[in-house]
Amino acid sequence: MTDRVEGVAKNEATAMVQRGINRRDFLKLAGAGLAGASLLGVAGCGGGGGQGGNGGPVEVTFATTPDPTGTFQKLIDQFNKENEGKIEVKYQQAPPDSSQFFDQLRTEFQAGSARINVFEGDVTWPAQFAAPGYVADLSDRFTQEERQKFLEGPVQSNIYEGAPFGVPWRTDAGFLYYRKDLLDEAGLEPPKTWDELKQTAQAVQQSAGTKFGYVFQGADYEGGVVNGLEYIWNAGGDVLDPSDPNKVVIDNPGAVDGLSIERSMVEDGIAPKAVSTFKEDESTAAFLNGDSVFLRNWPYVYAQAADPEASKVKQEQIGIAPLPSVSGEESASGLGGWNLMLNAASEDPVQDASYELIKFMTAPERQRTLAIEGSYLPILQELYDDQEVVDAVPVIALGKEAIQNTKPRPVSPYYSDMSLRMAEQFNASLDGETPPEQAVATLQEALTEIVKQGQA
Ligand code: GLC
């Protein structure tokens, strides 16, 4: 397409998204001629969101995964108070599981629904929602200058075809938690390589009688994908070609090594067999119960250790290090976290009001509240230099290296389909059902097919 035609198609696509057709379908229809598209009777099924008519406030519906700390609700109440008579935010809680929330939103967006106007989305979502035109392009609102204030990784997670489709809200990084007290007693340092992790785990298991050496998230779900990817990256492998997101490269020696190391944790008796069923909660419970020397998990676990009802292990017994790698050189940790996005199908005053909420939620003061009261890692650079925040949220200092070396999961409009296949194959390899070589060969074919289908 020429630039001008592409531009016209984009505008038309945006309009059609508002009337309930996605951009990819539109582009397909556009191939058959625009008149053809209207003849197909693409009726409007959008709407939703309060209109702010009759002088009442503009109603905005905001959806997030559950927040056990109550901080989100507190901030929403504050926003509503400050905007009384102008904007009223209604809060909707979504399922805690990222994939379930994604499926729910995708179903609504496919139907052109604007029931939810603004929502928090996992870092893997922007490309998938941007490609079909479900979320608004924020280029004019979240400007280059604004973006400078934010951490780079989370900003990048929102960029699709050069434009931002979300604003970072809270970030996550994979940490290696270790029992500092037990390592100190044994005169051992935190490991830099996977071999050292195994040796250290075994030595401590023998000297202190700890039940497991290492626990992590190995179940067949999104968290299992992040863990599998970390093993792959830290053995020098990758899933997609970094310079061509449509080129699948997972059938490489690094990926085989990574999955073999993951599997060897069970074979060598470092991790329990049940680790292939563990999600965040099961692995955290084992570690905080004093049953494991090491744990891979997100930053919030450290905050949980402050609560004696939730944890037998105290914060001062816990150390945090970057994940090990094969070479012992700098390792990558999976970038997690959540961004704020706008439903492209919302009507005009609602869209502006929804962005007001995004600005409010990502402003320095709210980021401080989220960090101090909710233990959420901030996404603004400046808060990492703010002593009050650093003192109140110890993982910021402890996890600094891991936070600085995060790597995003494959950025692709087809990520959710890819993720399902990776979850299944990584889990089968960990379980010993499928040799790692076979798992990556299966994935090479399956992921290539997903990209091909998506482009058809
Ligand atoms: C955390 C991360 C998210 C990830 C999920 C996997 O919530 O922030 O990015 O997808 O864990 O379980």
Side-chain angles (χ1 to χ4, degrees), residues 98 122-123 172 221-223 226 280 298 335-338 409:
S98 169
D122 203 338
V123 283
D172 261 341
Y221 82 118
E222 186 58 35
V226 186
E280 279 83 358
W298 308 105
L335 174 71
W338 296 79
R409 281 158 266 176

Side-chain angles (χ1 to χ4, degrees), residues 103-152:
D103 288 344
Q104 178 194 314
L105 286 171
R106 182 162 60 178
T107 306
E108 292 196 16
F109 294 160
Q110 274 165 348
S113 164
R115 187 181 70 88
I116 288 166
N117 308 111
V118 50
F119 58 94
E120 69 162 7
D122 203 338
V123 283
T124 51
W125 297 2
Q128 303 171 82
F129 280 163
Y134 295 156
V135 287
D137 180 338
L138 303 177
S139 298
D140 295 341
R141 302 185 199 254
F142 189 40
T143 59
Q144 286 283 5
E145 200 192 333
E146 270 298 302
R147 284 176 235 164
Q148 302 302 317
K149 300 176 198 157
F150 290 72
L151 300 182
E152 194 180 335

Side-chain angles (χ1 to χ4, degrees), residues 73-286:
Q73 183 67 62
K74 181 178 165 177
L75 293 178
I76 293 166
D77 292 346
Q78 189 187 334
F79 179 88
N80 281 338
K81 208 159 156 221
E82 286 178 18
N83 290 279
E84 209 171 337
K86 288 185 287 176
I87 304 172
E88 191 176 341
V89 173
K90 308 260 184 219
Y91 183 32
Q92 287 263 322
Q93 276 196 25
D97 184 316
S98 169
S99 318
Q100 279 175 22
F101 186 17
F102 178 83
D103 288 344
Q104 178 194 314
L105 286 171
R106 182 162 60 178
T107 306
E108 292 196 16
F109 294 160
Q110 274 165 348
S113 164
R115 187 181 70 88
I116 288 166
N117 308 111
V118 50
F119 58 94
E120 69 162 7
D122 203 338
V123 283
T124 51
W125 297 2
Q128 303 171 82
F129 280 163
Y134 295 156
V135 287
D137 180 338
L138 303 177
S139 298
D140 295 341
R141 302 185 199 254
F142 189 40
T143 59
Q144 286 283 5
E145 200 192 333
E146 270 298 302
R147 284 176 235 164
Q148 302 302 317
K149 300 176 198 157
F150 290 72
L151 300 182
E152 194 180 335
V155 170
Q156 280 311 317
S157 78
N158 286 287
I159 306 290
Y160 177 68
E161 292 188 345
F165 286 84
V167 180
W169 190 31
R170 52 195 182 95
T171 190
D172 261 341
F175 288 171
L176 179 72
Y177 288 90
Y178 62 92
R179 285 290 301 276
K180 194 173 176 323
D181 55 340
L182 301 183
L183 263 64
D184 285 350
E185 269 165 34
L188 294 165
E189 292 291 314
K192 289 206 172 353
T193 66
W194 292 114
D195 282 342
E196 283 170 17
L197 179 137
K198 287 182 185 174
Q199 287 155 14
T200 309
Q202 274 164 339
V204 174
Q205 277 179 280
Q206 268 175 16
S207 61
T210 315
K211 207 163 155 190
F212 311 131
Y214 186 35
V215 288
F216 51 94
Q217 297 85 51
D220 179 355
Y221 82 118
E222 186 58 35
V225 175
V226 186
N227 280 250
L229 289 174
E230 287 170 342
Y231 279 106
I232 290 175
W233 294 330
N234 291 326
D238 217 333
V239 176
L240 302 180
D241 184 334
S243 56
D244 179 1
N246 288 323
K247 191 166 166 212
V248 178
V249 297
I250 194 165
D251 195 353
N252 65 66
V256 174
D257 283 354
L259 293 186
S260 305
I261 293 167
E262 183 176 21
R263 168 77 194 136
S264 75
M265 292 297 166
V266 176
E267 282 169 345
D268 296 353
I270 308 296
K273 181 147 180 37
V275 80
S276 66
T277 63
F278 280 10
K279 296 187 180 180
E280 279 83 358
D281 285 354
E282 292 81 2
S283 49
T284 304

Side-chain angles (χ1 to χ4, degrees), residues 52-76:
N54 308 326
V58 179
E59 272 180 24
V60 166
T61 302
F62 177 40
T64 75
T65 53
D67 162 35
T69 71
T71 323
F72 298 178
Q73 183 67 62
K74 181 178 165 177
L75 293 178
I76 293 166

